[in-house]
């Protein structure tokens, strides 16, 4: 029997092994291939979602770095030098200035963070911190002892929310011989409390000596903090 036409011939033309070939159209063939490739065996070594994300990030970073180095004099070497110089400048400024300080008087800058305590309580706490080598806390408590003592002696009017700088300025008017030392003590308090600085034993001893000296100093009554003339 004789068939004419390419399709009929393809369906009946025997293969070398004696089987009759099967003509599969394009769509079923693609679907069959997709089913085969979806077998998990073919994807055991594929990168996971995190690995793919990291790969895309590093590609983006490489493209960005390449673009920046192309626009920088000296290419990659010039870009590296610029980055190192900027990093050195930032480190130098941070070391010199410390953590940016808040302006005195802003919310949260109050000298006394907890409830009312006596000057003696603050001195006891300062001595305890000093004996343990916690100089930041020792400086803070000794400055609080100074201000509380001045309030107890009525050289300062008790006022919630007062900052160390404000207390030093007010106390300096009634104790002018210690005005500079009071400002330095307030600065030490601000540095360790808000400026990210670290105190040491000499810094604490200076505040301690000021506290002792103030206890022995008589105020100048005509410039007392109350502002009342003598």
């Amino acid at each position: 029997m004789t068939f004419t036409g390419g399709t009929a011939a393809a369906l009946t033309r025997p293969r070398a092994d004696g089987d009759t070939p099967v003509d599969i159209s394009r769509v079923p063939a693609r679907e069959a291939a997709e089913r085969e490739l979806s077998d998990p065996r073919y994807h055991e070594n594929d990168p996971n979602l995190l690995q793919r994300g990291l790969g895309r990030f590093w590609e983006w970073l490489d493209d960005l770095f390449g673009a920046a180095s192309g626009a920088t004099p000296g290419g990659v070497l010039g870009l590296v030098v610029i980055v190192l110089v900027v990093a050195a400048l930032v480190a130098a400024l941070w070391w010199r200035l410390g953590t940016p300080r808040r302006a005195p008087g802003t919310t949260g800058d109050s000298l006394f963070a907890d409830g009312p305590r006596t000057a003696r309580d603050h001195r006891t706490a300062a001595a305890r911190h000093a004996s343990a080598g916690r100089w930041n806390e020792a400086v803070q408590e000794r400055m609080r002892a100074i201000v509380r003592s001045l309030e107890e002696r009525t050289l300062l009017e008790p006022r919630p929310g007062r900052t160390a700088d404000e207390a030093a300025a007010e106390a300096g008017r009634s104790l002018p011989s210690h005005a500079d030392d009071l400002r330095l003590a307030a600065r030490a308090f601000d540095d360790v409390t808000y400026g990210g600085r670290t105190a040491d034993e000499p810094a604490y001893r200076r505040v301690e000596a000021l506290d002792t000296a103030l206890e022995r100093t008589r105020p100048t009554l005509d410039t007392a903090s109350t502002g009342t003339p003598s």
Side-chain angles (χ1 to χ4, degrees):
M1 181 183 295
T2 302
F3 293 90
T4 61
T7 302
L11 291 174
T12 58
R13 186 181 300 118
R15 297 193 314 190
D17 57 4
D19 294 335
T20 301
V22 178
D23 185 13
I24 303 177
S25 63
R26 182 180 303 174
V27 174
R30 185 179 68 244
E31 292 175 349
E34 290 175 352
R35 284 194 299 271
E36 177 66 20
L37 292 175
S38 65
D39 192 316
R41 293 177 301 172
Y42 295 105
H43 303 281
E44 292 178 352
N45 298 319
D46 286 357
N48 57 34
L49 182 61
L50 177 60
Q51 291 172 329
R52 292 197 298 271
L54 287 175
R56 289 182 179 274
F57 170 75
W58 288 119
E59 290 176 3
W60 172 81
L61 195 63
D62 183 63
D63 293 341
L64 181 64
F65 187 80
S69 62
T72 304
V76 175
L77 180 60
L79 180 62
V80 171
V81 171
I82 292 174
V83 170
L84 291 177
V85 170
V86 171
L89 289 174
V90 171
L93 287 173
W94 191 274
W95 176 84
R96 178 66 180 84
L97 301 177
T99 303
R101 296 172 55 194
R102 293 175 289 180
T106 57
T107 303
D109 283 356
S110 175
L111 181 65
F112 298 99
D114 51 7
R117 298 163 64 190
T118 66
R120 182 176 181 178
D121 291 336
H122 288 295
R123 291 188 182 108
T124 300
R128 184 171 62 251
H129 288 306
S131 65
R134 297 188 294 266
W135 302 114
N136 282 13
E137 292 84 351
V139 166
Q140 291 171 325
E141 289 298 326
R142 203 75 193 200
M143 184 62 192
R144 290 171 179 141
I146 289 174
V147 177
R148 185 66 77 204
S149 176
L150 294 175
E151 292 177 348
E152 292 171 353
R153 295 168 63 189
T154 69
L155 299 179
L156 284 178
E157 181 181 355
R159 177 162 57 84
R162 177 187 278 124
T163 67
D165 291 326
E166 292 170 345
E170 294 171 17
R173 290 195 288 270
S174 58
L175 299 165
S177 61
H178 295 288
D180 291 340
D181 291 333
L182 282 164
R183 282 194 295 269
L184 290 175
R187 178 63 183 270
F189 177 91
D190 288 345
D191 283 346
V192 301
T193 305
Y194 312 119
R197 300 296 182 89
T198 301
D200 53 14
E201 182 175 3
Y204 169 70
R205 297 304 174 191
R206 287 192 292 270
V207 182
E208 180 186 43
L210 174 61
D211 185 22
T212 302
L214 289 174
E215 285 292 291
R216 301 170 181 171
T217 303
R218 294 174 59 86
T220 302
L221 298 180
D222 58 347
T223 56
S225 62
T226 58
T228 303
S230 58

